[in-house]
Amino acid sequence: MQPPAARAQVEDFQVIGGSRGKWTFPNRIHLPDLTDEQMRTILMHRIAYAQLEVDGGAKNPGLEVLLRRLARARDSPGFLNAHQVHMAFQKVVSCQTARLRREGKDTGEQYEKTTATAQKVQMDWRVPQPAKNSQKDRSSGVTQQPGDLLLTEDFIGPEPANIRHRSAAWKELSGMIGLEDVKHAIMYTTPGDYIGSWLGESEEKTNSILTASEGKVLIVDDAHSFWQSHALGSGKADSYQLGVINTFVERVHNRPGEDRCVIFLGHEREMEDMFQNMNPGLRRRFPLKQAFRFTNYSDAKLLDILTLRTASQGVTADEKAMSVAGEVLRRLKDRPNFGNGGDVENLLSQAKNRAQERKGNEPTRGFNEGDAAITLTKEDFDPDWNREATAALKCQKLFDGLVSFESVSEKFSGYQRMAHNLRRRGKNPREIVPFTFLFKGPPGTGKTHTARFVGRIFYDMGLLSTTEVTECSASDLIGEYLGQTGPKVVNLFDRALGKVLFSDEAYRLAGQGRGSEYEMQAVGEIVDCMTKTKYHNKMVIVLAGYEDDMDQLMNANPGLRSWFTTDIHFSSMTVELSWEFILTLLRKEDIVIEDSADCTSGSSTGRALDLLGQLAETPGWANARELKTLAKQLVGLDMLIRER
């Protein structure tokens, strides 16, 4: 039977039945759902009937949350009115019993009696009359503790699972002064808390966490880990990960009034891949257009953080030292997964360690106690802070001993002088010095060798955060199936942030003038990446190959040529330079060639020069690469060499 209504409504005559139905019902009585106040009255009477009390009385926040839940449920199909209130009350009693057991208290006969009372009330829709609380239950003879009968947070469900106590972030939050409301409202998790070890366990663990998070904030950090992205550009999710996501889709609906807040945290691109490739319902429940996007701190904000951290740790740094620290942080921002405040803390820690080494065996009390302040210097933040002043000299030394590299060495030395002069005038060299290059020339002319120098050259200019070079071929950029090419290019650019990206034989992307769909996608994706702020002037890109073929590649996409405007030409070695290169290689082994200066046509050297000329005209001649092989063969010819 439905519960009593505030009033009955009599409506017009109504006839029901089939074509032969003769039964008539002149009146219909409409019993509306319980109002908010009626549900409150029933709930409070049932609490009193079970001889329980509410912490804070009718103004208990948890009680208000429970009543709002019941009010929202009224609009859903199958709402059971008084029975719905009774089921909510049973859940409150169960939560209280579980809480007391966690606190080590014996629930005893009283709670068996309370549960039995709750079950008895279920069979009767009438509002139970309150019973007077007593310190002693006369029927059982059990003396109760007043606190054992008090309902506290039991109205809003069980406490979050213990997984949050394993979280470093949760421990840090717990150690903060105050914020009690925040601490009670948050549940912090990571993907590892959801993934099971056997089929079905992932769904079970996820359901358990979602149930425990009712009325709270559920945070899922590193949520992108549910989607495994690979360096080759492909992604996948196994059945365990899919089980987690599918359970989220089933339990979380993103409807107004839903009694749970779920926050997914993760890396932007990986999160977008996950939302595009996993359960489609995930995108509807977590709309990407409404996502909060957190960008890196500005250079000024990073310095502000550093200033606050130094002050809190009893450390000082002068203006010049802070300027060097700011430059280090600016370069670090170019690297993937820049940690913002975390990297500031790491930089400060490294600087303090260097300062301690500099001060020798002096005590470190000033770092933590503030009674012997340490002053950090430029060298503490960056031991090679003045690398730019000697960059041009270092560049020349890189090419020492290399034959026919004078023009290439001078080109890059010029860029270093340009950067130095621009900084002296307060200008940003990033907007002037080129970050993209085409290395054109036949094989064996030093293109790869030079590309490996570029990392050191740009690092010394202060334009890269590392000297590393990421090498790839055209096949590393082209996918094997539809949709793979774009992610492969993006992954490669991500790996090369703050470094040099060098692609040898890049002309293969042009496909001999008949570029396939995948090759054209790769070229288009390269152009697209270069237009993005994330990559622009934050990495050096070098494409290398034969001159004619590289020109053909530039014509494959109208936008590609506009980005690669700086050509570095590598010419084939002349016969004389080839002979000198061989002599240089042999001298390193303490070997000389007899009569090497006699270049007449009949001499051994003359005949060698003629042979080198013929070799240089053969197709596919690889210059220095072939000459190194030839020098190794000459070592074994006793007729041409003698030990020095």
Side-chain angles (χ1 to χ4, degrees):
M1 178 181 294
Q2 290 289 332
R7 60 189 178 89
Q9 296 178 348
V10 180
E11 298 190 352
D12 294 337
F13 178 88
Q14 182 178 8
V15 179
I16 55 177
S19 59
R20 298 182 180 180
K22 302 298 183 181
W23 296 100
T24 60
F25 294 84
N27 300 297
R28 184 176 67 172
I29 298 177
H30 176 69
L31 303 178
D33 289 322
L34 294 173
T35 65
D36 294 356
E37 285 303 316
Q38 287 170 341
M39 287 191 290
R40 178 189 293 272
T41 300
I42 292 175
L43 179 60
M44 294 303 294
H45 276 291
R46 293 195 171 175
I47 291 172
Y49 189 80
Q51 300 184 19
L52 298 173
E53 296 179 353
V54 179
D55 185 18
K59 299 300 183 180
N60 181 286
L63 175 64
E64 294 300 316
V65 170
L66 177 59
L67 289 169
R68 287 199 297 270
R69 289 180 182 175
L70 290 170
R72 286 195 296 268
R74 183 172 49 211
D75 298 328
S76 60
F79 179 65
L80 300 176
N81 288 284
H83 184 59
Q84 199 89 22
V85 178
H86 170 75
M87 290 190 298
F89 174 64
Q90 278 191 314
K91 187 175 180 180
V92 171
V93 172
S94 298
C95 290
Q96 187 213 26
T97 303
R99 174 175 59 80
L100 292 174
R101 285 174 177 166
R102 288 195 305 270
E103 294 172 357
K105 298 180 179 179
D106 184 9
T107 56
E109 298 179 6
Q110 172 64 24
Y111 292 96
E112 295 179 5
K113 179 175 179 291
T114 300
T115 303
T117 301
Q119 292 173 347
K120 178 181 177 182
V121 173
Q122 180 183 8
M123 307 304 297
D124 191 351
W125 58 263
R126 292 172 297 180
V127 176
Q129 295 302 311
K132 192 174 182 180
N133 278 341
S134 62
Q135 290 296 100
K136 184 174 181 179
D137 181 10
R138 297 172 183 173
S139 62
S140 64
V142 178
T143 301
Q144 303 297 328
Q145 297 297 323
D148 296 349
L149 301 175
L150 194 65
L151 298 176
T152 56
E153 72 271 17
D154 310 304
F155 292 100
I156 58 176
E159 277 292 297
N162 288 332
I163 48 178
R164 66 179 181 178
H165 299 295
R166 301 196 301 266
S167 164
W170 170 253
K171 292 177 181 177
E172 182 178 354
L173 176 62
S174 300
M176 293 182 180
I177 299 174
L179 303 177
E180 280 74 16
D181 292 341
V182 176
K183 295 172 185 177
H184 282 92
I186 293 179
M187 182 176 195
Y188 183 91
T189 63
T190 62
D193 300 316
Y194 297 84
I195 304 299
S197 303
W198 60 82
L199 195 63
E201 188 188 15
S202 295
E203 291 86 343
E204 180 182 333
K205 295 176 71 173
T206 304
N207 272 311
S208 175
I209 293 174
L210 287 173
T211 299
S213 67
E214 291 181 359
K216 304 176 180 67
V217 178
L218 172 60
I219 297 176
V220 186
D221 200 5
D222 291 330
H224 59 270
S225 299
F226 290 124
W227 175 255
Q228 298 173 344
S229 297
H230 301 285
L232 294 179
S234 62
K236 67 176 183 179
D238 58 31
S239 58
Y240 300 100
Q241 295 165 324
L242 284 172
V244 174
I245 295 301
N246 292 342
T247 305
F248 266 100
V249 172
E250 292 172 4
R251 296 282 305 272
V252 179
H253 304 288
N254 193 24
R255 291 195 293 256
E258 195 163 4
D259 197 23
R260 181 192 297 110
C261 176
V262 181
I263 301 176
F264 277 8
L265 309 178
H267 301 160
E268 182 175 5
R269 184 175 61 79
E270 288 84 351
M271 291 285 282
E272 291 178 352
D273 287 345
M274 180 180 75
F275 277 74
Q276 294 297 331
N277 291 283
M278 298 188 79
N279 192 316
L282 196 63
R283 296 195 298 273
R284 295 194 297 271
R285 287 154 176 78
F286 297 88
L288 288 176
K289 291 184 178 179
Q290 299 177 11
F292 293 94
R293 301 178 187 272
F294 295 82
T295 59
N296 288 329
Y297 286 120
S298 66
D299 295 348
K301 292 296 184 183
L302 289 172
L303 277 180
D304 289 343
I305 295 173
L306 180 60
T307 301
L308 290 174
R309 297 303 297 155
T310 54
S312 66
Q313 298 181 26
V315 178
T316 60
D318 59 28
E319 184 177 349
K320 292 182 179 179
M322 292 296 286
S323 177
V324 170
E327 184 64 20
V328 173
L329 291 170
R330 190 196 55 73
R331 291 198 302 269
L332 288 175
K333 284 176 64 177
D334 294 345
R335 299 296 303 274
N337 303 323
F338 173 63
N340 288 282
D343 276 346
V344 172
E345 188 65 39
N346 291 339
L347 176 62
L348 180 57
S349 178
Q350 294 168 4
K352 286 160 54 178
N353 290 337
R354 295 189 186 107
Q356 183 57 36
E357 293 176 1
R358 174 170 51 83
K359 291 177 67 64
N361 295 322
E362 293 184 16
T364 61
R365 295 175 60 194
F367 288 147
N368 298 315
E369 299 179 15
D371 55 354
I374 299 298
T375 300
L376 300 176
T377 65
K378 301 186 294 291
E379 291 80 6
D380 295 330
F381 285 111
D382 185 357
D384 197 16
W385 67 273
N386 199 30
R387 64 177 64 86
E388 185 183 356
T390 59
L393 180 60
K394 291 179 181 178
C395 179
Q396 293 176 358
K397 289 184 177 180
L398 287 174
F399 292 95
D400 282 351
L402 299 179
V403 179
S404 73
F405 276 79
E406 291 79 9
S407 62
V408 177
S409 174
E410 180 55 33
K411 190 88 170 179
F412 284 103
S413 295
Y415 292 141
Q416 290 180 319
R417 289 192 295 271
M418 180 190 301
H420 182 67
N421 291 333
L422 286 169
R423 282 205 174 94
R424 289 178 57 190
R425 295 162 51 195
K427 305 293 183 180
N428 184 3
R430 286 176 176 266
E431 303 303 324
I432 307 297
V433 176
F435 277 74
T436 56
F437 299 91
L438 292 179
F439 283 8
K440 297 180 176 180
T445 52
K447 299 187 297 296
T448 302
H449 203 67
T450 302
R452 292 169 182 165
F453 289 163
V454 171
R456 167 57 64 179
I457 293 170
F458 272 73
Y459 175 76
D460 288 339
M461 282 193 284
L463 299 179
L464 291 180
S465 59
T466 178
T467 62
E468 296 178 52
V469 177
T470 299
E471 299 186 32
C472 70
S473 63
S475 60
D476 295 324
L477 298 166
I478 301 172
E480 299 176 0
Y481 52 82
L482 187 64
Q484 188 188 27
T485 298
K488 288 185 73 170
V489 174
V490 172
N491 279 332
L492 191 60
F493 269 66
D494 283 345
R495 286 165 46 203
L497 269 173
K499 309 174 187 175
V500 174
L501 175 59
F502 174 64
S503 178
D504 199 7
E505 299 182 351
Y507 56 84
R508 290 166 49 198
L509 292 171
Q512 304 299 324
R514 303 182 301 277
S516 71
E517 180 182 359
Y518 294 165
E519 291 163 344
M520 291 298 97
Q521 286 178 357
V523 173
E525 194 68 40
I526 290 172
V527 174
D528 183 63
C529 285
M530 297 179 68
T531 62
K532 295 179 179 178
T533 305
K534 179 178 180 180
Y535 307 108
H536 181 60
N537 285 358
K538 295 178 181 177
M539 55 191 291
V540 175
I541 305 175
V542 180
L543 304 182
Y546 297 100
E547 183 155 358
D548 292 342
D549 293 332
M550 293 302 293
D551 290 339
Q552 189 175 352
L553 172 63
M554 292 299 104
N555 294 328
N557 185 296
L560 197 60
R561 177 76 263 185
S562 64
W563 285 104
F564 289 88
T565 58
T566 304
D567 296 358
I568 306 292
H569 295 273
F570 295 79
S571 303
S572 293
M573 298 174 67
T574 64
V575 172
E576 290 76 13
L577 287 176
S578 297
W579 182 240
E580 180 60 32
F581 184 66
I582 289 176
L583 296 178
T584 301
L585 293 175
L586 294 176
R587 290 191 195 102
K588 291 181 179 179
E589 304 298 328
D590 291 333
I591 295 174
V592 296
I593 295 182
E594 294 179 346
D595 302 325
S596 60
D598 184 2
C599 299
T600 59
S601 58
S603 65
S604 298
T605 299
R607 292 196 302 272
L609 293 174
D610 290 338
L611 291 172
L612 286 174
Q614 296 176 34
L615 289 172
E617 294 176 359
T618 58
W621 172 251
N623 290 276
R625 195 176 306 145
E626 303 282 7
L627 293 174
K628 289 179 180 178
T629 302
L630 183 59
K632 292 178 182 178
Q633 295 173 345
L634 290 176
V635 173
L637 299 180
D638 293 338
M639 66 185 66
L640 295 179
I641 63 175
R642 63 178 175 80
E643 292 187 3
R644 178 178 295 177

